[in-house]
Amino acid sequence: MQSTAKTVNDYLNELPEERKTAFLKLRNCILDNIPKGFEEQLSYGMLGYVVPHSIYPNGYHCNPKLPLPFVAIASQKNFIALYHMGIYINPTLLEWFTTEYRKHCNQKLDMGKSCIRFKKLDQIPFDLIGKLARKISVNEWIECYEMSIT
């Protein structure tokens, strides 16, 4: 379910009331923890946290006009989704996250390659998401990304 919002505020204003509190808490968790250099913007119809062209002029290899994506959050039809490219590319980070998840949440992890789905909004492990957001700096992400596309 991709939003047609034009700005971050438009996106936030169109959130369903029953998801707004959890979504805003997730957004603040990311903003409070993501390392310096990443920027929040509307990206692919979601809230995205990207490496801007001012830091990484090459941009995203699939479309160099776009900044390098890192994390995104979205209100989908049946869940809130967290997309984290680091857990998709870095097996060590993925293993850390899946191990830690069990310690923070009694819900079964519902996850795709980079997508973590939260269907029960009262079960979002915000502390763990904060730790995940802090795990990779901008420079580490660029290095990891470049190694994955060569």
Side-chain angles (χ1 to χ4, degrees):
M1 186 169 110
Q2 193 167 353
S3 171
T4 58
K6 301 291 183 215
T7 68
V8 170
N9 283 337
D10 288 346
Y11 187 93
L12 296 174
N13 287 331
E14 71 180 20
L15 288 170
E17 278 306 313
E18 65 275 7
R19 291 204 185 150
K20 197 169 274 198
T21 299
F23 191 91
L24 292 174
K25 187 171 180 180
L26 182 59
R27 176 187 182 230
N28 288 332
C29 177
I30 292 168
L31 288 171
D32 290 345
N33 289 285
I34 200 162
K36 186 177 178 180
F38 291 105
E39 289 183 2
E40 180 183 59
Q41 67 175 11
L42 213 54
S43 181
Y44 298 98
M46 305 177 272
L47 293 192
Y49 302 88
V50 303
V51 180
H53 283 104
S54 60
I55 294 174
Y56 190 67
N58 293 348
Y60 186 42
H61 75 281
C62 294
N63 182 350
K65 292 180 182 177
L66 296 176
L68 179 61
F70 179 54
V71 171
I73 54 175
S75 178
Q76 303 292 9
K77 184 177 180 181
N78 296 311
F79 52 87
I80 290 177
L82 169 72
Y83 301 88
H84 193 290
M85 297 304 292
I87 59 176
Y88 175 69
I89 290 177
N90 184 329
T92 303
L93 185 61
L94 174 61
E95 183 178 331
W96 171 85
F97 180 78
T98 56
T99 300
E100 287 299 309
Y101 186 87
R102 290 183 218 116
K103 298 175 187 176
H104 287 81
C105 192
N106 58 8
Q107 283 296 117
K108 182 178 183 265
L109 179 59
D110 185 358
M111 185 174 168
K113 290 184 178 184
S114 73
C115 175
I116 305 160
R117 293 173 286 273
F118 300 109
K119 292 178 182 166
K120 294 188 177 191
L121 304 183
D122 61 340
Q123 295 289 316
I124 298 173
F126 296 104
D127 290 342
L128 178 59
I129 300 305
K131 289 176 185 176
L132 178 62
R134 288 192 299 266
K135 283 279 185 187
I136 301 176
S137 71
V138 168
N139 290 336
E140 290 167 333
W141 174 235
I142 292 169
E143 182 180 318
C144 188
Y145 170 76
E146 286 182 340
M147 287 185 353
S148 75
I149 62 170
T150 56

